[in-house]
Amino acid sequence: MESRVTIVGAGPAGALLAWLLSSRGIETLLVERQSDFEREFRGEILMPSGLRALAEAGVELAKDELLPLRFFEGWMNGRAFIQADADAAGGDFLPPSAVSQPKLLERLVAMSEATGHFSLERGATVRRIERSADGSSVLHVRSDAGDSKVEARYLIGADRRGAVTRRALAPRVRNRGAMLDVVWFKMAYPEAWQPGTARFVGGRGQLLIAIATADGLLQMGWVILKGTFGDLKSRSHDEWVAELWNHADSELADHIGRHAETITRPFLLNVVSDRVLGWASPGALLIGDAAHTMSPVGGQGVNIALRDAIVAANELVPAFSNGGDVDAAAARIEPARARELDVIQRMQAMPPRVMLGTRGIHALARRVASRFLSTSFGQARASVGGRLFFDGVVDVELTV
Ligand SMILES: Cc1cc2nc3c(=O)[nH]c(=O)nc-3n(C[C@H](O)[C@H](O)[C@H](O)COP(=O)(O)OP(=O)(O)OC[C@H]3O[C@@H](n4cnc5c(N)ncnc54)[C@H](O)[C@@H]3O)c2cc1C
């Protein structure tokens, strides 16, 4: 099969776009460096906006792939200030859900394979890209079978931040900076918690996130000030678990103490918030984290990546199918996504300032928040911030 489109990176953005293109008869090659999706630790939260993107794309997730998060609890300075139950929010409320990302990606790849217009190179790392004056590209790929070259008539980079495609297309990047890093790990789920619980524990300049996963575990994110992981890493497992224990509320601290042996090896997410200026160039396009790296605040990265794929398909499918001007179509994608990205990235910067700030004003803001913030799912959903984080900033609808 000679591919019309070559996509680098089978994350949510690349895999969904591959499905949307191949299912509309456009020959698509997907190149992915991992041979097994289970081997990467990735984002696992889908907001209603991301769930809707999948539903529109015709992707139905099985029960064991998706866990609705029905119970939200927020603690600050030792006081519970949010205790929200999605069931009380009314019948049409679609709660955020934990998704098994490896299963989602396997599903997308299997659906694409069934179209007959798709092929996947797994375990193939694109190491270098040569661009030609006519807009085509040559990818230098390394796999267990050795080194090879792939000629890409149209190249889509969906290979995340710092990606090889981003470097090759050499666009300008606007970096918003980020004051936090996140230490991610998983552990046993607390027996006493309702299934589908998410808890946020703030105070004393730290934030702990504990969220049920679709595979029955507890995913924990320990949000720390950027650059302080070195200190943490220099300590033994027992020492850093003791430090973590100090920041949990009493119930979670008890759970961590009793099940410390189930804690998986921690993974540091060096948080970045940036946006490429100029996603499209002749014969090439960037989407997903390759075009805009998202902070993990508010669980937006996967949703935004899926919504990029929908908008990209809306523009590219007609151009490829009708022999239209593909570069002109691709140039419309960034303007259609820019507003949502700017608003979400600006909003993502706010909570860390309050939660992690070391000045007196930040401590005061935390005290005020713990006293006065009290909300239900309905209120959160109705607030401006809630609506934007849950539903997205602009309407995104699949039109092809
Ligand atoms: C630990 C962690 C936790 C996160 N938590 C959340 C969360 O809870 N909610 C949320 O919404 N977001 C979260 N995020 C962010 C979210 O995972 C990303 O924003 C989202 O996955 C972006 O999708 P993508 O398809 O653009 O890129 P990715 O999912 O990063 O996929 C890129 C793919 O490209 C492949 N690749 C990279 N380089 C090459 C190469 N040279 N050759 C071939 N293939 C290559 C990678 O193996 C990968 O499969 C988290 C991220 C991490 C790392």
Side-chain angles (χ1 to χ4, degrees), residues 317-347:
V317 168
F320 278 119
S321 308
N322 309 328
D325 183 340
V326 175
D327 287 333
R332 290 192 287 271
I333 296 167
E334 183 181 354
R337 300 296 296 133
R339 184 160 159 259
E340 177 154 296
L341 284 159
D342 285 345
V343 171
I344 295 287
Q345 287 187 333
R346 268 204 303 274
M347 286 177 49

Side-chain angles (χ1 to χ4, degrees), residues 9 11-13 32-33 42-43 45 126 158 160 184 288-289 299-302:
E32 167 57 46
R33 75 173 170 195
R42 310 159 188 254
I45 305 296
V126 177
R160 74 168 53 157
W184 290 104
D289 269 17
Q300 294 291 303
V302 177

Side-chain angles (χ1 to χ4, degrees), residues 88-132:
D92 64 339
F93 180 76
L94 188 58
S97 294
V99 66
S100 158
Q101 210 186 111
K103 286 188 178 153
L104 168 64
L105 298 176
E106 290 294 358
R107 169 69 60 90
L108 288 168
V109 162
M111 287 167 67
S112 303
E113 273 164 348
T115 66
H117 299 288
F118 172 83
S119 57
L120 171 66
E121 294 270 354
R122 277 185 203 254
T125 302
V126 177
R127 294 170 56 86
R128 192 162 64 82
I129 297 173
E130 274 170 63
R131 300 271 290 143
S132 306

Side-chain angles (χ1 to χ4, degrees), residues 21-227:
L21 295 178
S22 59
S23 59
R24 275 109 184 127
I26 298 160
E27 308 298 336
T28 302
L29 168 67
L30 185 56
V31 183
E32 167 57 46
R33 75 173 170 195
Q34 296 289 351
S35 43
D36 175 358
F37 293 127
E38 293 279 359
R39 290 178 55 195
E40 289 253 317
F41 186 32
R42 310 159 188 254
E44 304 202 346
I45 305 296
L46 278 183
M47 290 290 160
S49 64
L51 292 166
R52 273 195 293 272
L54 288 178
E56 283 196 14
V59 184
E60 281 175 23
L61 290 165
K63 276 216 155 45
D64 66 335
E65 293 167 339
L66 200 66
L67 174 71
L69 297 173
R70 313 203 74 87
F71 303 97
F72 272 66
E73 299 168 5
W75 289 65
M76 189 117 57
N77 293 340
R79 176 179 179 269
F81 70 96
I82 298 177
Q83 283 184 309
D85 175 347
D87 289 335
D92 64 339
F93 180 76
L94 188 58
S97 294
V99 66
S100 158
Q101 210 186 111
K103 286 188 178 153
L104 168 64
L105 298 176
E106 290 294 358
R107 169 69 60 90
L108 288 168
V109 162
M111 287 167 67
S112 303
E113 273 164 348
T115 66
H117 299 288
F118 172 83
S119 57
L120 171 66
E121 294 270 354
R122 277 185 203 254
T125 302
V126 177
R127 294 170 56 86
R128 192 162 64 82
I129 297 173
E130 274 170 63
R131 300 271 290 143
S132 306
D134 65 359
S136 64
S137 308
V138 176
L139 313 186
H140 294 256
V141 178
R142 180 161 293 174
S143 68
D144 284 349
D147 289 350
S148 59
K149 289 183 190 175
V150 171
E151 302 210 355
R153 288 158 69 192
Y154 192 85
L155 172 66
I156 297 180
D159 48 342
R160 74 168 53 157
R161 62 163 83 179
V164 66
T165 54
R166 192 195 267 201
R167 291 200 303 274
L169 301 174
R172 287 178 301 136
V173 178
R174 188 176 66 199
N175 198 330
R176 285 185 182 276
M179 63 184 290
L180 67 150
D181 287 333
V182 185
V183 183
W184 290 104
F185 57 91
K186 288 186 178 178
M187 68 178 300
Y189 192 74
E191 312 86 54
W193 285 19
Q194 302 262 29
T197 294
R199 181 178 289 194
F200 304 85
V201 186
R204 287 175 293 175
Q206 300 249 351
L207 175 64
L208 267 190
I209 302 167
I211 305 179
T213 67
D215 55 2
L217 293 172
L218 187 67
Q219 179 181 3
M220 294 201 52
W222 184 6
V223 181
I224 56 174
L225 270 178
K226 187 166 270 310

